Amino acid sequence: MEQEYQKLEQNLIDLIKEEQMKLGYQKETIRLYYPADSLLRLLGKELSIEKLQQELEWFGGHTEHLGNVTVSHKKDRFCLCVPPEGAVYVHEQVPDNPFLKEWITAVSVHGCTLEKLLEICERYSNHTVVEQIKDSEFDVLIYFADQKPDAYYYCVKFEGSHVIYHRFMKEDYEEMGF
């Protein structure tokens, strides 16, 4: 596969692995939805919606690991449909990320605190950044300045004894303007 598509394939793999870690593995078709802007950032291109559809169709037929990924869209929202063989590949060939596994375990327990999340982060990085998010649906942003253990931005919301989080690429987080 051409190098320009590797970032997109890795993002799909990351999302599938996260889903499998949260919900368990199923040999199933997985549908992942992206706004066009996110896909364009992953590809490093500026394209019309029609041209993006064509690029993604080419990508879908040439993924190295995920099988024949099909693509559809409504306006600027795209669905990348990964066949069961892609779910099998991720389950069998991609090891769990120890940090993410601990993170998911922590947020799934009632009473998880920011202190607990930071304790987990600090076990995996000396470069954890924590920022309060004002005027947002989230309370706090956590990421790793050195991109280790990963390069994602974690937006966290504390709702009573529950924790909700969303993982974003840095560029998508910045585009949201929090």
Side-chain angles (χ1 to χ4, degrees):
M1 178 188 336
E2 295 181 27
Q3 188 165 352
E4 64 190 311
Y5 297 97
Q6 289 177 353
K7 190 173 182 182
L8 174 57
E9 184 176 45
Q10 186 59 55
N11 188 262
L12 289 167
I13 290 169
D14 288 351
L15 291 174
I16 293 168
K17 190 63 179 182
E18 180 184 20
E19 178 182 306
Q20 290 176 349
M21 291 170 66
K22 284 180 179 177
L23 305 174
Y25 164 70
Q26 293 275 334
K27 183 179 179 181
E28 64 185 345
T29 299
I30 298 172
R31 288 172 179 77
L32 298 167
Y33 295 88
Y34 289 83
D37 289 345
S38 291
L39 292 166
L40 291 169
R41 281 189 283 278
L42 281 165
L43 295 173
K45 297 182 176 190
E46 291 186 30
L47 304 168
S48 68
I49 296 295
E50 293 76 23
K51 188 69 175 158
L52 178 57
Q53 175 75 29
Q54 292 171 0
E55 292 272 330
L56 293 173
E57 287 172 0
W58 183 92
F59 162 79
H62 294 87
T63 62
E64 290 183 35
H65 307 293
L66 299 177
N68 187 27
V69 175
T70 58
V71 180
S72 62
H73 76 278
K74 288 186 180 176
K75 298 185 181 179
D76 66 346
R77 184 172 184 239
F78 282 78
C79 175
L80 280 71
C81 188
V82 179
E85 66 195 81
V88 170
Y89 168 81
V90 172
H91 174 68
E92 292 179 353
Q93 302 299 321
V94 179
D96 286 352
N97 172 326
F99 160 74
L100 189 56
K101 186 172 186 157
E102 230 181 300
W103 176 276
I104 290 169
T105 299
V107 299
S108 67
V109 175
H110 290 283
C112 180
T113 64
L114 177 59
E115 291 75 23
K116 175 66 176 171
L117 294 178
L118 294 178
E119 180 182 301
I120 294 167
C121 291
E122 290 167 5
R123 273 201 290 279
Y124 293 90
S125 176
N126 293 326
H127 303 284
T128 302
V129 177
V130 181
E131 297 176 6
Q132 296 298 314
I133 303 176
K134 295 185 186 331
D135 302 322
S136 167
E137 62 189 271
F138 301 107
D139 297 319
V140 67
L141 165 67
I142 301 172
Y143 65 94
F144 306 101
D146 62 354
Q147 299 187 350
K148 294 176 187 167
D150 68 36
Y152 288 100
Y153 277 45
Y154 292 78
C155 292
V156 182
K157 176 74 174 173
F158 295 92
E159 293 186 342
S161 63
H162 299 281
V163 176
I164 298 168
Y165 81 93
H166 292 281
R167 233 172 39 147
F168 297 102
M169 294 179 303
K170 176 183 180 185
E171 300 84 359
D172 285 346
Y173 174 82
E174 290 172 344
E175 180 69 24
M176 290 185 289
F178 291 135

